[in-house]
Amino acid sequence: MTALPVVISRQAPLVFREWHPGIELAKGPLDIPYPVNSSEITPEAVLLPMNGWDMQGYRLGYGGGFFDRTLASLSKRPVVIGVAYELAKLDTIYPQSWDIPMDYVVTERGVYRRDPDGLAYLGEPPGGDDPSALASPVCYAGEITRS
């Protein structure tokens, strides 16, 4: 089941509502669409965008604190997977007491898992005959025909 986050108010945790094609969406803060009339669910895993990240698994978000507040409020913490570019890796983000580290970080380089000593690099995604099937769109540059 897929869900999208919904901002209830600036200081409240997010809620997650079921989403699939056909569910009505409305525009929320920053014009981010959210499901209007679907059921509220508790996620088992969360994909979290990151503007920056460090090798302890902490992230720089968009400054609202929504995800940290939300994760702290859940009775059962979901698996948290941060998604970012490798070049957004920083020495440290200087985490605050309320910051919650990611369980995994996924970049175009591969996957990192949070261990007691910080993030451990697990390696590249599997290759194969068509590695572009797992690549981000910027990796398709060689496939574009110039006129």
Side-chain angles (χ1 to χ4, degrees), residues 1-6 14-26 33-43:
M1 178 180 302
T2 301
L4 295 176
V6 180
L14 299 165
V15 297
F16 295 89
R17 290 195 184 136
E18 182 180 353
W19 178 85
H20 55 79
I23 294 283
E24 180 184 356
L25 297 174
Y34 68 91
V36 179
N37 297 314
S38 60
S39 301
E40 192 173 312
I41 67 165
T42 302

Side-chain angles (χ1 to χ4, degrees), residues 76-94:
K76 183 178 181 216
R77 185 169 182 246
V79 174
V80 182
I81 304 163
V83 180
Y85 287 108
E86 190 72 26
L87 64 85
K89 181 170 53 175
L90 305 166
D91 291 335
T92 181
I93 68 149
Y94 301 99

Side-chain angles (χ1 to χ4, degrees), residues 69-117:
R69 190 167 34 256
T70 302
L71 294 173
S73 74
L74 297 173
S75 59
K76 183 178 181 216
R77 185 169 182 246
V79 174
V80 182
I81 304 163
V83 180
Y85 287 108
E86 190 72 26
L87 64 85
K89 181 170 53 175
L90 305 166
D91 291 335
T92 181
I93 68 149
Y94 301 99
Q96 303 298 307
S97 61
W98 55 82
D99 287 328
I100 296 175
M102 307 295 96
D103 298 308
Y104 294 89
V105 170
V106 177
T107 73
E108 75 280 7
R109 177 178 178 227
V111 178
Y112 298 81
R113 177 188 63 224
R114 188 162 190 274
D115 289 343
D117 295 330

Side-chain angles (χ1 to χ4, degrees), residues 19 27 36 45 47 50 60 72 95 117 123-125:
W19 178 85
K27 285 189 178 183
V36 179
L47 293 176
M50 303 187 302
L60 287 177
D117 295 330
E124 297 179 10

